[in-house]
Amino acid sequence: MGFLKLIEIENFKSYKGRQIIGPFRRFTAIIGPNGSGKSNLMDAISFVLGEKTSNLRVKTLRDLIHGAPVGKPAASRAFVSMVYSEEGAEDRTFARVIVGSSSEYKINNRVVQLSEYSEELEKLGILIKARNFLVFQVRRGSGVHRHEEPQGEDGPISRSGELAPEYDKRKKEMVKAEEDTQFNYHRKKNIAAERKEAKQEK
């Protein structure tokens, strides 16, 4: 089983400039007084593992850039990358970059779509949808029985579990369609920007 080796952060939330946090061991405790950045480190790890913006205590993706929430962004971009280490294998780097109002995903410095990013993390046992990589303090002890169904003598009364495979399949198709749409939109936007820049240079 592998482990998180180190985190590199640039202009993300309270971390101004480029910061390297680590190397971590298989068991690492991070301690510090209130306001020292512990929660923002958790947010950074969540972010690079594909967590939604709404779960990172901000309203928009741009608000994750250092200083942006108060109208003084330190830069036009920010990123978080993590190095994942496994015995007998080369270290792998996963990175998520904020560019304007969108994010870009990279594996070993290669730009990929979110679907491929998620698949590679899933191979490591990290499931973005299941959020099995972090236990958030505010969620501890809440919703433990949320997914349990009323039980009858022969099992769940609603039998909704029988529809789970079909639901998961449809949901995966929907997520992929949304990712493809977003990818094509940003690609079209970048091409338009490049054309404009080329026209100005001409």
Side-chain angles (χ1 to χ4, degrees):
M1 179 180 289
F3 66 99
L4 176 63
K5 188 173 183 179
L6 63 84
I7 288 282
E8 185 175 353
I9 302 174
E10 182 175 286
N11 294 322
F12 182 87
K13 298 199 88 170
S14 61
Y15 295 94
K16 185 177 182 181
R18 184 167 295 193
Q19 312 288 336
I20 295 178
I21 302 172
F24 301 119
R25 299 182 182 276
R26 288 186 178 274
F27 179 84
T28 300
I30 298 174
I31 61 174
N34 291 339
S36 60
K38 300 187 301 296
S39 295
N40 285 340
L41 177 58
M42 289 284 284
D43 286 343
I45 296 172
S46 299
F47 175 75
V48 76
L49 292 177
E51 185 60 271
K52 293 180 180 179
T53 306
S54 58
N55 294 323
L56 298 176
R57 301 177 296 143
V58 294
K59 292 182 179 179
T60 67
L61 197 63
R62 191 188 297 271
D63 288 338
L64 291 171
I65 298 176
H66 179 83
V70 294
K72 296 180 179 179
S76 59
R77 66 193 299 274
F79 79 85
V80 178
S81 71
M82 74 168 194
V83 176
Y84 187 85
S85 182
E86 273 188 301
E87 290 184 10
E90 291 186 6
D91 290 350
R92 303 183 68 188
T93 301
F94 294 83
R96 187 177 176 187
V97 185
I98 301 171
V99 182
S101 58
S102 63
S103 59
E104 188 177 73
Y105 298 86
K106 295 182 179 181
I107 298 177
N108 292 335
N109 250 355
R110 179 174 62 89
V111 177
V112 298
Q113 291 193 47
L114 177 56
S115 55
E116 182 179 346
Y117 194 83
S118 302
E119 287 172 7
E120 292 303 313
L121 286 175
E122 192 170 333
K123 291 176 184 177
L124 304 176
I126 300 170
L127 308 177
I128 294 176
K129 294 177 184 176
R131 303 179 72 197
N132 69 334
F133 44 85
L134 286 174
V135 177
F136 293 87
Q137 182 178 3
V138 295
R139 302 177 192 280
R140 192 172 51 195
S142 64
V144 176
H145 305 289
R146 182 173 50 193
H147 299 297
E148 292 186 3
E149 296 182 31
Q151 299 288 314
E153 292 182 1
D154 299 321
I157 293 173
S158 72
R159 302 174 67 89
S160 61
E162 296 175 1
L163 301 174
E166 181 66 18
Y167 174 84
D168 290 339
K169 178 185 175 183
R170 298 294 184 187
K171 188 172 183 181
K172 186 176 288 187
E173 290 173 353
M174 181 190 74
V175 170
K176 187 177 186 306
E178 290 174 346
E179 291 168 1
D180 290 342
T181 300
Q182 185 181 26
F183 178 81
N184 289 329
Y185 169 77
H186 291 303
R187 184 181 178 186
K188 184 178 178 181
K189 193 175 179 181
N190 289 338
I191 290 173
E194 288 173 2
R195 284 180 177 173
K196 184 178 180 181
E197 185 177 349
K199 189 175 181 181
Q200 289 175 344
E201 288 177 357
K202 185 179 179 180

